[in-house]
Amino acid sequence: MASLTTDLPRRPAPGRFLPAAVIAAAVVLLAAAPWWAGRADLRLLMEALSYLALAQMWNLLAGYTGLVSVGQQAFVGLGGYLFFALAIFSGLPLLVAMPAAALATGLVAIPAGWIAFRLQGAYFAIGTWVIAEVFRLSAAQFPALGGGSGISLPVAVARSLSESREGREMAMYFLALGLGLSATFGVWALLRARWGMALTAIRDSGTAAESIGISTRRVKFLIYVGTAAMTGLTGAFLFLQKLRITPDAAFSVNDWTAFVIFIVVIGGIGTIEGPVIGTILFFALRQVAADWGSWYLMLLGAIAIAVMLVDKRGIWGALKARTGWALFPVERRLR
Amino acid sequence: MKTLLETRGLTAFYGDFQALFGVGLRVDEGETIAIIGANGAGKSTFLKTLVGIRPNRGQDITFDGQPIGGWPAQRIHKAGLAVVPEGRRLFRSLSVEENLLIGASGGRKGPWTLKAVYDLFPDLVEKRRNPGTALSGGQQQMVAIGRALMSNPRLLLCDEISLGLAPKVVRAIYEAVPLIRGRGTSILVVEQDVSQALAVASRVYCMMEGRVTLTGRPRDLSREEIAQAYFGMEAA
Amino acid sequence: MVWVNAIIQGVLLGGLYALFAAGLSLMFGVMRFVNIAHGDFIVVAAYLALTVMVSLGISPWVAVPVVVAVMAATGYLGQRLLLNRVLGKDILPPILVTFGLSIILQNALLETFSADSVRLPAGALETASLTLGDGIAIGILPLAMFATAIGVIAGLQLIFYRTPLGRMLRATSDDAEIVPLMGGNNAHIFAIATGLASAVVGVAGIWLAMRTNFDPAAGPVRLLFAFEAVIIGGLGNIWATLAGGIILGVAQTVGAQIDAGFQILAGHLVFLLILIVKPTGLMPRMTG
């Protein structure tokens, strides 16, 4: 144990203010977007914020509990469909129907997770995909929801947000901002809470976490259900924005899981900053390369593979390891 | 006497933790060498570094006249260095005979064939079709030794072969050591069982905390010296 | 009689699913590696067969060995050059790399062959059938497909239990870490396993091409069928994988008999049911 004599690195105190300032500036800038961004930019930001929420959830699941799911589209689609069903048939106000759909998605995730948890590792991943396929094929079996060709949200429902188009766009933007920020800060708060330290312990070593008395299985299950609910809420919002839902769009593995995984992995899995960086890069790249069609998708796949080969911690993970930077510090340092 | 294996200043690390601090060791052809030492002395790490399943790039290891530091494990094996791994590690879905045959995959020619191994350990003949793991501990150890011999090694490394076995069984297994050496295979045993090691070895190395603390012929070493080198304290 | 017919068709379809599953099961068995792009590899083999036989007009007797050999060689090299680098305790890199490969392959096929679905014509064989009285007819093509599955599985069994290579593969499956101490080269053995699995993928792709229409996006569903057959049967036993394939096939054809839109869903539901009732599969490997 002679090697433990090296000094613990001490961080200079001024470094503590800079991250807070960066975060505050970003939040203010985003909150003011309706006043500085054009309509097209606003739509892009809305989409990016939704993806940020999905990415934070997938990162919480895979990056911290090691549950690599490729079936999160199950909950995006379910959230979307349940929201449409509630909004169309129950007449619940839109802002009630969305959280209700999220809650119901979480409830469905309990039996779904109970089944998926019987599989381990990569087989868990494929199992979640089967479950998503079951949801997609089942959705096509409901004539009331339009079967295979899908269903539109009545104009009146969208109108209930605001009578004017500008008002609706403003309201939608703040919904998206709320999703993206609450996912990011929610994960941060969770990881800083006492209970969240269990998660970091699980990320770093499952067996070690077990040995200090954390029921990793229970924590993982709760995270699975919780991320499903939040993913469902995001799904409800995504299809509110699209105003139309079909089984193939709702349960698309490419749109709701592949892109999200690439965002997290490229940005840096197992960090809160990773999904933020990944989302920015993903949308920047899409702006440049959207016209390339399938070549753009091949490029994304190749980048994900390259990250795994070069440094599987991703961009932020690699930066953090070299510099010790943290925008969202969760580690408690000895001092 | 020709030198078969020689290491100079061998080091090993597990992350930041240094496990070996410059281990020098020599095995001459025809010798039986024992490395003794307590748990955590670095004996197994030393063996794993020799055979290449722990990184050994840049290490000064000469085997049979060749510098083998940095060679992949399978190449070291084919050069004639075979190991009986700690805990036996038989392949559980292979029969006894298949376990032995796996040992011969390297294709080295020599005196060790299935028949020679069965002659050495006659108990195994009637178990040859059984799964390797369905045997008693002693018989499993015999399979593990036989499996290593099947590669016709110049030097056989045995990692803690007495661990978890009854003294009677240990004696039976150690009876094979002179027979193995009689066929021209040199032997290096790593042992916690000091008396067994002293009885069988022509020279011993004692290790403690990653360093060689004592070396010599068994008859030249006193109990006190060994206890001092083994535990790092004055013998009670 | 429609039900008996559906069950017979399902059993024969199960042969195809066992072919899908055998490669997946083999790679998992030897190196605990799950290839998310497995289905896409099958579709690549199907397009390769189509190209060689239809576009180049090469006779099936030459084309089949060519497809199988090209797949095997590609599998070997892919494992050696790419996949070996991400093997390890962390499950994320292999999943991510093969997921990335899946996206790349689907889009590369789309660029090359367009999104239109295609099929490999099998000539007169397509309609030939054996009539077993009482309105039960068995197509020659599905029957040959089932026989191929039995042949492939028996061949794999032979390799695994009767050859030095198979012995080495089983040893690697048990304890890969010490195989180099027996003179085995893990990188090579893993690549051989993937090469063998890819040869089976080649056979599976040819049958997929003859049996159904397929398109560049047809891979993921095949991965799911392969996976379901493996899990239903129980890990680590290749004949059980055939049984798993048959159960899945029967579930699908019986489901389709109930309602045409219910075919795939019925297969998934039977899989989930078996996962609930018997998570280790119906015939798990017996080990001491």
Side-chain angles (χ1 to χ4, degrees), chain B residues 74 77 89 92-93 98, chain C residues 170 174-175 177-178 181 185:
Chain B
Q74 63 269 16
H77 174 87
R89 309 219 7 207
R92 63 188 172 86
S93 64
E98 285 179 318
Chain C
R170 280 184 294 140
D174 287 346
D175 191 348
E177 195 196 6
I178 64 158
L181 301 181
N185 176 354

Side-chain angles (χ1 to χ4, degrees), chain A:
Chain A
M1 295 293 122
S3 59
L4 286 181
T5 53
T6 45
D7 290 328
L8 290 165
R10 284 167 193 279
R11 311 250 163 246
R16 302 177 62 81
F17 287 104
L18 190 63
V22 170
I23 293 171
V27 170
V28 168
L29 203 65
L30 283 172
W35 292 277
W36 59 261
R39 175 171 286 160
D41 293 335
L42 214 53
R43 286 199 76 85
L44 185 69
L45 275 176
M46 252 190 265
E47 205 186 341
L49 286 163
S50 315
Y51 266 95
L52 177 61
L54 293 178
Q56 289 291 5
M57 290 304 110
W58 190 83
N59 180 42
L60 180 59
L61 191 62
Y64 287 91
T65 69
L67 292 168
V68 182
S69 162
V70 292
Q72 291 308 93
Q73 69 273 21
F75 304 123
V76 174
L78 195 61
Y81 262 103
L82 288 170
F83 165 61
F84 270 45
L86 286 171
I88 295 170
F89 301 116
S90 76
L92 280 177
L94 192 146
L95 291 177
V96 178
M98 283 175 67
L103 193 67
T105 304
L107 289 176
V108 174
I110 293 172
W114 180 70
I115 295 173
F117 272 53
R118 288 162 176 259
L119 298 161
Q120 256 121 50
Y123 280 151
F124 171 85
I126 309 181
T128 59
W129 199 346
V130 171
I131 290 169
E133 279 299 286
V134 168
F135 287 3
R136 182 176 70 84
L137 295 165
S138 303
Q141 298 286 320
F142 282 101
L145 291 170
S149 51
I151 191 167
S152 294
L153 199 64
V155 185
V157 176
R159 281 258 163 88
S160 71
L161 263 182
S162 167
E163 275 302 319
S164 74
R165 197 168 101 174
E166 288 72 24
R168 274 200 299 280
E169 279 175 356
M170 179 88 89
M172 294 273 225
Y173 177 76
F174 282 106
L175 280 176
L177 186 64
L179 276 173
L181 293 186
S182 59
T184 305
F185 288 97
V187 170
W188 191 23
L190 184 69
L191 293 177
R192 285 175 67 91
R194 274 180 65 96
W195 190 80
M197 287 172 62
L199 280 174
T200 315
I202 290 171
R203 176 190 65 179
D204 296 339
S205 167
T207 37
E210 288 281 3
S211 71
I212 56 169
I214 297 167
S215 166
T216 59
R217 199 184 151 82
R218 201 167 128 230
V219 172
K220 286 178 177 188
F221 193 80
L222 287 173
I223 293 290
Y224 180 82
V225 172
T227 54
M230 184 66 188
T231 302
L233 186 64
T234 312
F237 171 76
L238 281 164
F239 287 95
L240 164 67
Q241 205 191 351
K242 292 180 195 296
L243 296 173
R244 179 168 181 80
I245 194 165
T246 66
D248 288 349
F251 299 97
S252 160
V253 64
N254 273 356
D255 289 349
W256 311 132
T257 295
F259 291 162
V260 170
I261 293 181
F262 291 156
I263 285 173
V264 174
V265 166
I266 293 167
I269 191 167
T271 66
I272 298 175
E273 296 87 344
V276 179
I277 308 263
T279 304
I280 295 170
L281 281 177
F282 176 82
F283 281 91
L285 186 65
R286 202 180 70 173
Q287 288 306 100
V288 177
D291 304 338
W292 301 358
S294 41
W295 291 102
Y296 165 64
L297 296 171
M298 281 188 255
L299 178 67
L300 271 184
I303 294 176
I305 293 175
V307 167
M308 283 296 121
L309 293 178
V310 176
D311 190 336
K312 64 184 181 185
R313 294 169 300 189
I315 291 173
W316 188 262
L319 266 178
K320 190 178 165 190
R322 281 177 187 78
T323 62
W325 291 347
L327 274 181
F328 297 90
V330 290
E331 287 90 353
R332 284 150 205 241
R333 289 213 171 81
L334 299 171
R335 67 187 100 208

